[in-house]
DNA sequence: GCGACAG
DNA sequence: ATCTTGTCGC
């Protein structure tokens, strides 16, 4: 657990969640994170986005983070570390959480919002890695995935910008987003202090012609090339 | 060629 | 996430 000051002049401090190293502790933390409803965040103008992604390296893991304004990538970093364990569905944070957090810290500049290659609220316990990372770093966050983890919903229309709600247990937790004509929709998952609409808007504002947001593509490429 | 897509 | 071969299309 890393203590984080709530803000200049404030007396109270909030305790940011850390990165548990076993499934039981992580599941308990996910339950607690999902129950919290911190003040929603909305982009003011064109936010400074940090996108993060991880790749499996021979030795362990490599995580990359890039800074971007819309689809324009400004800078990036890469960090390497051992793989804490094998991948398990709904427990991705166990494996990638600490290293992704380190990659964001290594940027040396605090973004306005995080775009994470992982699920957010679209999760069995409503707190996937995208949401968790935002809470841990005290930054608004949204998730982007190829397909839903648990949520279901209709196909969006064929035009870029068309969206359709993705629901889990009656709640809209994500949005299917058509980022370009003729491509399969991506899932924009609500995260820490973001709702599905904000996540979808963020995905669209960082996408330029191809299916995935440019900052995410850049982060993935960096991570892969650093292997 | 680069990106999407099957599996 | 990764591997890998091939087809289609701009």
């Amino acid at each position: 657990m890393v203590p984080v000051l709530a803000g200049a002049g404030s007396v109270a401090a909030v305790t940011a969640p850390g990165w548990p190293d076993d499934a039981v502790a992580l599941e308990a933390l996910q339950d607690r994170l999902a129950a919290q409803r911190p003040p929603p965040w909305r982009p003011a103008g064109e936010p400074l986005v940090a996108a993060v992604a991880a790749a499996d390296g021979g030795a362990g893991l490599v995580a990359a983070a890039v800074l971007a304004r819309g689809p324009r990538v400004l800078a990036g970093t890469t960090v390497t570390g051992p793989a804490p364990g094998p991948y398990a569905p709904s427990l991705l944070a166990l494996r990638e959480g600490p290293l992704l957090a380190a990659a964001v810290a290594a940027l040396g500049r605090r973004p306005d919002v995080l775009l994470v290659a992982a699920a957010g609220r679209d999760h069995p316990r409503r707190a996937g890695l995208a949401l968790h990372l935002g809470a841990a770093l005290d930054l608004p966050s949204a998730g982007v995935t190829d397909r839903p983890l648990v949520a279901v919903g209709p196909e969006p229309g064929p035009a870029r910008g068309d969206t359709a709600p993705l629901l889990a247990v009656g709640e809209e937790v994500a949005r299917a987003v058509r980022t370009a004509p003729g491509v399969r929709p991506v899932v924009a998952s609500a995260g820490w202090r973001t709702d599905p609409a904000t996540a979808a808007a963020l995905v669209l504002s960082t996408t330029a012609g191809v299916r995935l947001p440019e900052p995410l593509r850049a982060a993935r490429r960096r991570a892969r090339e650093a292997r």
Side-chain angles (χ1 to χ4, degrees), chain A residues 35-59:
Chain A
Q36 295 185 38
R37 296 293 169 162
W41 171 88
R42 288 276 171 194
E46 200 171 44
L48 183 64
V49 175
V52 291
D56 280 311

Side-chain angles (χ1 to χ4, degrees), chain A residues 48-139:
Chain A
L48 183 64
V49 175
V52 291
D56 280 311
L61 294 178
V62 37
V66 306
L67 247 16
R69 204 130 232 166
R72 302 176 307 280
V73 174
L74 309 171
T77 55
T78 265
V79 296
T80 302
Y87 165 78
S90 86
L91 300 175
L92 184 59
L94 239 31
R95 183 172 168 82
E96 297 187 355
L99 205 59
L100 290 184
V104 174
L107 284 172
R109 186 173 167 196
R110 256 176 95 71
D112 297 315
V113 61
L114 253 29
L115 201 55
V116 186
R121 234 144 198 138
D122 169 27
H123 178 97
R125 283 168 299 280
R126 302 280 175 288
L129 176 54
L131 183 149
H132 188 159
L133 190 62
L137 299 177
D138 190 26
L139 288 170

